[in-house]
Amino acid sequence: MKFVDEAIIKVEAGDGGNGCVSFRREKYIPKGGPDGGDGGDGGHVILVGDEGLNTLVDFRHKRLHRAERGQNGMSRQMYGRKGATLYVRVPVGTRVRDLDTDEVIGEILEEGQEMLVARGGKHGLGNIHFKSSTNRAPRQATSGTAGEKRNLGLELIVLADVGLLGMPNAGKSSLIARMSHARPKVADYPFTTLYPNLGVVNMGQGRSFVIADIPGVIAGASEGAGLGLQFLKHLSRTRLVLHLVDIAPLDENIDPADEVRQLIAEIEKYGGDLAGRERWLVLTKKDLLLDEELEERKARLLEELHWQGPVFAISSVTGEGVDELAQALMQRLDALASKEDPAADEDEKEPYDPTRS
């Protein structure tokens, strides 16, 4: 199925039904009073989170979503039926924006979570409500109000604990394939990843975390080069980012330190808090270098970048260093979860050591 992470739809809640003007007419009752009933309320439009969906592609084909109108009131004091509420299922992780006001209405982050995006109109009143001692034959009724209409922008942002960031061919797809059961396309040419991939890393004993791989970012992406920056939003909900660097590029003219600086510059142009997100440096393809050469290149890279954070060297082909990276990630995610949950027992968790590799 094609991955689509943005869509524009129009939602229309149902109008309220009109009230009825009617008078009681029965044999042997020559002076029956008013008996016009009320209309029914219009149906709402509600978005519902569905974990079974992972793309917004369906909304490219169906853009209008209209709830049912309330039924008009009828004689004999019969009220109109309420319009049925329209439930529109969206993927978990969908952000909803009102395009007319540019207001973010909210986000769907859980299975079954509901969000009211268009309220149905109120019912009109029948003439039975206007009867009085001085007006025994009222001929007025009210019309139902119109339901809300909105132009909405849906934006799917994948839910992941760890995000992979790097230039094309840095080894992101290979790493997520090695660490999880995800099977993204892996090839020896750039931009093999054209849309985000998610993988669940199982650490045993019911412990796991979700890792996200997005298409590579190149210099000039903020001006539209490559695939641009459109997929960086998928890292906005991650707790930390792995910055993958090819430590053994085939082209000798490529400087890994320059690639890191270029990518950081593009992230800063993107804006938001992504540039300040916790980021680890992961040196990939270590199997292509001898140990001495690897240590030399690693030391030179860290010196040029003035890097102070955690550093890991891995090979997705041989698996060397991957398990250690996964263990460190799980440990760090547990520590971050403990900070978010003050009730968590800190004594049961080992202290996080960023130098462990």
Side-chain angles (χ1 to χ4, degrees):
M1 179 180 293
K2 182 178 180 182
F3 181 85
V4 175
D5 61 352
E6 292 182 353
I8 295 176
I9 63 173
K10 183 175 184 179
V11 294
E12 295 182 359
D15 297 338
N18 299 326
C20 175
V21 175
S22 175
F23 295 92
R24 185 178 180 187
R25 292 289 185 267
E26 292 185 32
K27 193 174 182 180
Y28 308 122
I29 305 179
K31 295 182 180 180
D35 68 350
D38 298 347
D41 291 333
H44 306 312
V45 179
I46 296 178
L47 304 185
V48 184
D50 186 346
E51 291 182 345
L53 300 176
N54 54 19
T55 177
L56 298 174
V57 67
D58 292 339
F59 296 99
R60 291 289 181 92
H61 307 294
K62 184 178 180 181
R63 295 180 181 245
L64 177 60
H65 299 266
R66 180 184 291 140
E68 188 178 26
R69 183 185 186 278
Q71 188 179 19
N72 292 335
M74 294 167 284
S75 60
R76 298 187 180 182
Q77 301 185 28
M78 289 192 293
Y79 288 13
R81 180 174 54 83
K82 292 183 178 180
T85 295
L86 176 64
Y87 293 92
V88 181
R89 309 197 75 80
V90 298
V92 173
T94 299
R95 177 180 296 162
V96 185
R97 184 184 300 273
D98 188 322
L99 297 181
D100 298 323
T101 63
D102 201 33
E103 171 196 6
V104 176
I105 300 174
E107 298 178 336
I108 303 290
L109 301 178
E110 297 178 358
E111 168 73 17
Q113 178 184 343
E114 297 185 357
M115 179 189 297
L116 176 64
V117 292
R119 189 178 297 276
K122 293 294 185 180
H123 62 270
L125 300 178
N127 67 336
I128 190 175
H129 293 281
F130 299 94
K131 179 177 66 173
S132 68
S133 60
T134 59
N135 186 10
R136 297 190 176 186
R139 297 185 177 277
Q140 66 261 42
T142 60
S143 300
T145 61
E148 289 183 328
K149 298 180 180 180
R150 272 179 160 176
N151 295 307
L152 302 180
L154 304 182
E155 188 177 26
L156 176 59
I157 303 177
V158 299
L159 301 177
D161 301 300
V162 179
L164 303 183
L165 181 68
M167 292 285 189
N169 268 15
K172 301 185 298 300
S173 297
S174 299
L175 178 58
I176 194 174
R178 186 80 189 193
M179 295 181 73
S180 70
H181 292 292
R183 291 297 175 262
K185 184 177 181 180
V186 178
D188 58 355
Y189 55 84
F191 299 113
T192 54
T193 299
L194 300 178
Y195 52 85
N197 293 297
L198 289 179
V200 178
V201 182
N202 188 357
M203 302 300 296
Q205 298 180 347
R207 303 171 71 218
S208 64
F209 61 88
V210 179
I211 190 168
D213 165 32
I214 67 169
V217 178
I218 64 175
S222 56
E223 283 79 38
L227 295 177
L229 301 176
Q230 59 177 320
F231 292 110
L232 284 180
K233 64 187 176 186
H234 294 293
L235 302 183
S236 63
R237 291 196 179 114
T238 58
R239 297 183 177 181
L240 61 88
V241 175
L242 298 184
H243 191 151
L244 273 61
V245 181
D246 183 356
I247 197 63
L250 297 178
D251 187 348
E252 296 180 355
N253 296 322
I254 295 179
D255 183 0
D258 284 342
E259 288 196 332
V260 173
R261 286 190 286 263
Q262 290 172 7
L263 192 49
I264 292 176
E266 295 299 329
I267 294 175
E268 291 174 347
K269 292 178 183 178
Y270 174 75
D273 62 348
L274 185 57
R277 189 70 47 85
E278 180 176 349
R279 186 157 42 93
W280 293 5
L281 200 62
V282 178
L283 311 181
T284 63
K285 306 179 183 180
K286 64 175 291 186
D287 57 295
L288 300 180
L289 300 174
L290 298 175
D291 292 342
E292 296 79 6
E293 188 177 7
L294 172 63
E295 291 302 321
E296 180 183 345
R297 294 192 183 191
K298 176 181 176 181
R300 185 167 63 248
L301 175 64
L302 299 183
E303 182 180 0
E304 292 184 25
L305 296 176
H306 305 288
W307 187 266
Q308 300 297 325
V311 183
F312 295 84
I314 67 166
S315 169
S316 298
V317 175
T318 65
E320 188 176 359
V322 174
D323 289 341
E324 291 80 358
L325 173 61
Q327 292 290 345
L329 288 171
M330 189 75 262
Q331 188 178 1
R332 180 55 176 159
L333 291 173
D334 286 342
L336 291 174
S338 298
K339 293 180 180 179
E340 295 173 1
D341 183 9
D345 187 359
E346 293 286 342
D347 295 334
E348 293 183 1
K349 295 183 174 63
E350 298 179 3
Y352 168 66
D353 181 9
T355 62
R356 183 180 300 173
S357 60

